Amino acid sequence: MQKNDIVKTVIEDIGVNGEGIGKVDGYTLFIKDAVIGDVVEAKLMKAKKNYGYARLMKILEPSKDRVEPKCRFARKCGGCQIQEMSYERQLEFKENKVRGNLERIGGFTPELLSRVTEPIIGMENPFYYRNKAQFPFGVDKEGNTVTGFYAGRTHDIIANTDCSLGVEVNQKILEIILDFMKEFQIPAYQETTGNGLIRHVLIRYGFTTKEIMVCLVINGKTVPHAESLVEKLKVLEGMTSITFSSNQKNTNVIMGDSYQILWGQGYITDYIGGIKYQISPLSFYQVNPIQTEKLYSLALEYADLKGNETVWDLYCGIGTISLFLAQKAKQVYGVEIIPQAIEDAKQNAAINDIKNAEFYVGKAEEVLPSYYEKYAKEHPGEKAHADVIVVDPPRKGCEESLLQTMTEMEPEKIVYVSCDSATLARDLKYLCEHGYEIKKVRTVDQFPMTVHVESIVLLSKLKSDKHIDVEL
């Protein structure tokens, strides 16, 4: 295969970035905008030894699962990779993706997975589910200020204030800000020159409380004529927090290190289940509250707490899962590397009057092993124990040193929440080689219209006799 070759292929799968995957004489092609089942004509743009990247030229036979996208920018935008695939097929794809990684990377048999896997949890309405959106601002070719989302794998802004994944009020807020910038000639930030003021706008929305937050991310120290913008925004029903965050660095990181209040308070509140959370511009908070409640309820169900357990929640963020667990546990310890998140977690525990949750700042792979070693020194002949360990790591998964400490603490149950099924499979393989077995696997679609998906796994400690049988 050579560059500029025109080929015909059937799309058999979807890649990690949402590209359709087809094969020509055993040669793998990644083709953006193609969905499973399409028969396409494509032009090879980049040829590697065993695979290549091709541009979709023509859909010769559309897949039975191809649908008209809700958003007219779906093909250009980098936010939704698979909006042109029916939602039923998206769910099937995501289940297969998780199962495939558990088989291929984890080495788990199809028979085992068929026995322990529960049906994927999808959404009744897979649109308008995001409670958070960050919109970049820039200038188009005619010199007009625009906002929207970046085109796939670029920093070119597609002008669009009406995203079908965000809440309706986002459009009104963005149009107010664009009008404000035009009225007072406030320039948008331009990455190429480093000039301009408004870089991004962060909008958060409380699905339960209906509270709204707007945070301007600026390339400066102040927002000129801020009082005029506040007057325009604060009349919107639910407006609770208007802030700005200064970020004058040449970086892809969106937010600055701090924020200042222009009007209202520095946070909004919202609920997951019966737990109330305060969410600041810098807080990590799951973007799909409907599915998050289902995911955390599963974590609580899998933990099966009776009221006398000690639980560790690793990578706890602002304490979302920790506080869910604390309702049923004797004691919960949360660990998170981000100091601001731990402050939020402590505050969230206080506002819910939860006194049996403690939080520690640090890397989970350092805090837990350090605690384990310290306990052994202070209690000769004993070792630290947990009844349940819940882990919700970033995409890279857990370091082996952490997995080792987890197994040495011998919890009866490990509940593993994952946003990357490849690293999940790798870590499950380690845990199952060191005294644990998979009891349940379930996929939760937190991010409809994208290739991303969450999984939750319950592992149980093997009985000693069963463990010996496995080793023999």
Side-chain angles (χ1 to χ4, degrees):
M1 298 290 290
Q2 295 182 342
K3 185 178 178 181
N4 296 325
D5 281 354
I6 304 293
V7 299
K8 175 183 173 181
T9 186
V10 179
I11 303 302
E12 300 173 350
D13 203 352
I14 298 288
V16 293
N17 296 312
E19 316 99 328
I21 300 176
K23 291 187 176 181
V24 178
D25 297 328
Y27 186 82
T28 301
L29 289 173
F30 295 90
I31 306 169
K32 185 179 177 294
D33 304 315
V35 304
I36 296 171
D38 279 343
V39 180
V40 304
E41 182 178 275
K43 182 178 182 180
L44 191 59
M45 306 304 294
K46 185 185 291 186
K48 303 283 188 179
K49 183 178 179 181
N50 298 315
Y51 65 94
Y53 297 91
R55 176 184 297 160
L56 178 64
M57 304 300 290
K58 191 187 299 181
I59 299 173
L60 301 174
E61 295 176 34
S63 167
K64 64 179 177 59
D65 299 307
R66 177 174 280 277
V67 297
E68 190 68 27
K70 192 177 187 73
C71 174
R72 62 194 176 99
F73 298 107
R75 185 166 176 177
K76 294 181 182 178
C77 180
C80 292
Q81 302 96 21
I82 53 175
Q83 197 179 128
E84 292 170 289
M85 185 189 296
S86 74
Y87 188 54
E88 293 74 16
R89 189 66 178 90
Q90 289 183 35
L91 295 178
E92 184 182 338
F93 155 70
K94 292 181 180 187
E95 278 194 302
N96 291 340
K97 174 182 177 180
V98 173
R99 180 180 287 233
N101 280 331
L102 292 178
E103 287 183 16
R104 190 177 64 258
I105 300 171
F108 299 105
T109 65
E111 293 76 19
L112 168 68
L113 295 176
S114 295
R115 193 168 67 249
V116 300
T117 301
E118 301 177 312
I120 187 170
I121 300 177
M123 296 195 72
E124 186 176 336
N125 177 14
F127 293 98
Y128 307 115
Y129 62 80
R130 289 187 62 96
N131 60 16
K132 171 189 174 184
Q134 296 172 124
F135 297 89
F137 279 67
V139 178
D140 66 13
K141 293 177 182 177
E142 286 72 44
N144 302 308
T145 299
V146 294
T147 187
F149 289 100
Y150 293 128
R153 296 182 294 279
T154 76
H155 271 206
D156 299 329
I157 297 174
I158 297 170
N160 176 26
T161 58
D162 184 20
C163 171
S164 59
L165 299 191
V167 293
E168 287 186 20
V169 75
N170 288 353
Q171 183 173 19
K172 193 174 291 185
I173 292 168
L174 293 173
E175 289 172 354
I176 287 172
I177 294 170
L178 287 170
D179 289 344
F180 162 76
M181 293 171 68
K182 184 176 182 180
E183 179 182 354
F184 293 101
Q185 297 185 324
I186 295 174
Y189 178 74
Q190 297 185 59
E191 289 184 348
T192 52
T193 64
N195 298 323
L197 184 69
I198 308 296
R199 298 179 69 137
H200 282 78
V201 169
L202 162 70
I203 304 173
R204 291 186 185 269
Y205 178 78
F207 269 54
T208 302
T209 63
K210 313 301 181 190
E211 294 178 0
I212 302 169
M213 168 190 293
V214 175
C215 180
L216 301 178
V217 183
I218 63 171
N219 179 39
K221 297 295 185 184
T222 59
V223 180
H225 309 286
E227 65 283 353
S228 178
L229 178 61
V230 166
E231 287 301 313
K232 291 175 167 65
L233 288 173
K234 74 179 187 180
V235 298
L236 296 178
E237 185 177 355
M239 189 59 66
T240 303
S241 172
I242 304 174
T243 62
F244 74 89
S245 178
S246 176
N247 182 0
Q248 296 179 272
K249 299 175 182 176
N250 181 17
T251 174
N252 285 334
V253 176
I254 293 175
M255 300 297 296
D257 297 326
S258 62
Y259 63 90
Q260 296 184 47
I261 298 171
L262 291 173
W263 177 84
Q265 58 198 34
Y267 59 88
I268 63 170
T269 58
D270 205 13
Y271 288 81
I272 300 176
I275 302 294
K276 183 179 181 180
Y277 298 93
Q278 282 189 4
I279 310 150
S280 77
L282 300 179
S283 294
F284 171 80
Y285 190 69
Q286 290 277 7
V287 299
N288 186 335
I290 296 169
Q291 296 298 88
T292 295
E293 182 168 350
K294 296 173 184 175
L295 180 68
Y296 291 177
S297 295
L298 271 178
L300 190 58
E301 176 190 322
Y302 284 7
D304 190 26
L305 302 172
K306 306 301 183 186
N308 57 353
E309 295 91 352
T310 298
V311 181
W312 282 81
D313 178 20
L314 308 178
Y315 309 96
C316 70
I318 64 170
T320 41
I321 294 181
S322 303
L323 301 184
F324 248 59
L325 297 169
Q327 299 173 94
K328 301 282 187 179
K330 178 182 178 182
Q331 181 68 43
V332 175
Y333 299 102
V335 181
E336 172 59 52
I337 191 173
I338 302 170
Q340 178 63 48
I342 289 296
E343 289 305 309
D344 288 343
K346 292 177 179 178
Q347 177 66 19
N348 289 328
I351 64 176
N352 288 281
D353 196 31
I354 291 175
K355 296 181 172 62
N356 60 330
E358 295 181 27
F359 298 95
Y360 301 96
V361 177
K363 295 181 179 180
E365 54 268 25
E366 293 177 359
V367 171
L368 195 68
S370 175
Y371 165 81
Y372 184 76
E373 292 170 9
K374 183 179 178 183
Y375 190 95
K377 289 178 182 177
E378 294 178 352
H379 302 82
E382 299 180 28
K383 64 179 182 179
H385 174 74
D387 297 293
V388 179
I389 294 179
V390 177
V391 59
D392 185 6
R395 294 195 181 281
K396 68 176 183 177
C398 300
E399 291 189 11
E400 190 170 307
S401 59
L402 176 61
L403 296 174
Q404 179 182 339
T405 303
M406 287 166 59
T407 57
E408 287 174 347
M409 290 178 74
E410 298 185 335
E412 288 301 313
K413 302 183 188 75
I414 295 173
V415 180
Y416 195 131
V417 180
S418 170
C419 59
D420 188 304
S421 57
T423 55
L424 168 68
R426 178 201 67 202
D427 292 350
L428 292 181
K429 182 178 182 180
Y430 179 95
L431 293 170
C432 289
E433 288 173 348
H434 291 79
Y436 286 82
E437 63 178 336
I438 296 177
K439 288 293 190 180
K440 293 181 182 178
V441 176
R442 196 153 201 186
T443 304
V444 180
D445 189 21
Q446 292 273 93
F447 313 103
M449 308 301 137
T450 80
V451 293
H452 305 297
V453 68
E454 296 266 333
S455 301
I456 180 166
V457 179
L458 169 64
L459 299 109
S460 179
K461 188 175 181 298
L462 285 163
K463 305 303 179 188
S464 57
D465 55 342
K466 192 171 182 181
H467 195 190
I468 291 169
D469 289 342
V470 170
E471 290 183 333
L472 291 173

